[in-house]
Amino acid sequence: MTVPAIVAPGALLRSPVEGPLVPDGRLFGFGGLHGGLALALLTAAMQRRAAPDAVLRGASARLHRALAGEFTVTTRVLRPGGVTTVAAEAASAEGVHVDASAIFAGPYAAGGPVLAPPAPAAPPPGDCEIFRIPPEFVPISEFWEIRPVGANRPYAGCAEPELTAWVRLLEDDEAPDVHRLMLLMDALAPAYAAVLGDLRLVPTMEMSVRTGDGLASASSPWVLLRARTRSAGVSGWNDETIDAWDPQGAHLGSAHQLRLLRTS
């Protein structure tokens, strides 16, 4: 029997899904289930295979084809122990749509120097205007709020391939856990879109997220994101980095996305 879809993404991530899942169309990005949500769903499933006190240290996914219909999630432990590696797949009758892997480890203090990227200067969210993404373009954007920082906007022909903004989920006032952070890491338009002058798709082909120490003590639903395209080639492939902070400047995590500029 197919498990009915839970519409709100935060609620979906809190609810373990056993059996097939049919994604609600309101959770779609470009033509299928939003990429950040897909990684978060797989990571939540992998978390259940790790020890109860294990902390997610990093996860990555390859997005092979859109998840637009019924699919199932399977997981397997690749390496058990103090450092646990788990793999997961989202598949349908067509084959594997998304495959992912994650590393979990128990909390401990290594005693080395602590390093984290500093947060950019930004006014508080309430001082920034709301930026609305047309829901017909990205349906899932109705579930979050984006308040850009600075002048850059997607598809505005800007000089720098960078986007900075406050983001949060609208369904509640909860601070992000690791799975919500993965979803929000993919809430902005591609950073490369800032230097484009017309609407072109730049979908994610691969996404990796690394957690920061600040995530454990996050208390605000707001996350400050800074996304920047580091390189882009003539073939259309580009490499994007994303960092996230809480309103107090604590670093929540980092992400990398391998994207492809579509020719049509």
Side-chain angles (χ1 to χ4, degrees), residues 220-243:
S220 170
W222 286 105
V223 173
L224 179 64
L225 296 181
R226 180 178 62 195
R228 183 173 180 84
T229 299
R230 299 195 307 175
S231 62
V234 295
S235 60
W237 293 93
N238 66 77
D239 179 32
E240 178 179 314
T241 61
I242 307 166
D243 279 291

Side-chain angles (χ1 to χ4, degrees), residues 151-178:
N152 277 20
R153 299 291 186 274
Y155 306 104
C158 304
E160 295 293 329
E162 182 172 297
L163 295 171
T164 303
W166 292 102
V167 300
R168 61 160 293 170
L169 288 179
L170 292 172
E171 63 192 85
D172 54 46
D173 290 324
E174 291 184 17
D177 62 7
V178 64

Side-chain angles (χ1 to χ4, degrees), residues 6 14 40 55 57 75 99 108 113 142 159 195-196 242 250 252 261:
I6 302 171
R14 282 194 302 268
V55 178
R57 299 301 178 182
T75 61
D99 78 272
Y108 68 94
E142 289 191 286
V195 299
L196 298 176
I242 307 166
L252 303 178
L261 176 66

Side-chain angles (χ1 to χ4, degrees), residues 175-221:
D177 62 7
V178 64
H179 310 301
R180 285 185 171 215
L181 180 66
M182 289 183 173
L183 169 61
L184 291 174
M185 281 281 199
D186 199 25
L188 300 183
Y192 190 67
V195 299
L196 298 176
D198 57 342
L199 181 59
R200 297 181 63 182
L201 297 183
V202 197
T204 301
M205 310 304 292
E206 183 178 66
M207 180 178 180
S208 300
V209 177
R210 308 288 180 261
T211 57
D213 288 348
L215 185 59
S217 57
S219 59
S220 170

Side-chain angles (χ1 to χ4, degrees), residues 67-132:
L67 278 168
E70 180 180 306
F71 67 93
T72 57
V73 174
T74 58
T75 61
R76 66 186 187 280
V77 177
L78 303 179
R79 181 184 189 273
V83 177
T84 301
T85 306
V86 185
E89 291 182 347
S92 73
E94 296 178 341
V96 175
H97 292 248
V98 183
D99 78 272
S101 59
I103 296 175
F104 302 87
Y108 68 94
V114 175
L115 304 173
D127 292 348
C128 303
E129 294 183 355
I130 296 175
F131 179 80
R132 301 191 185 281

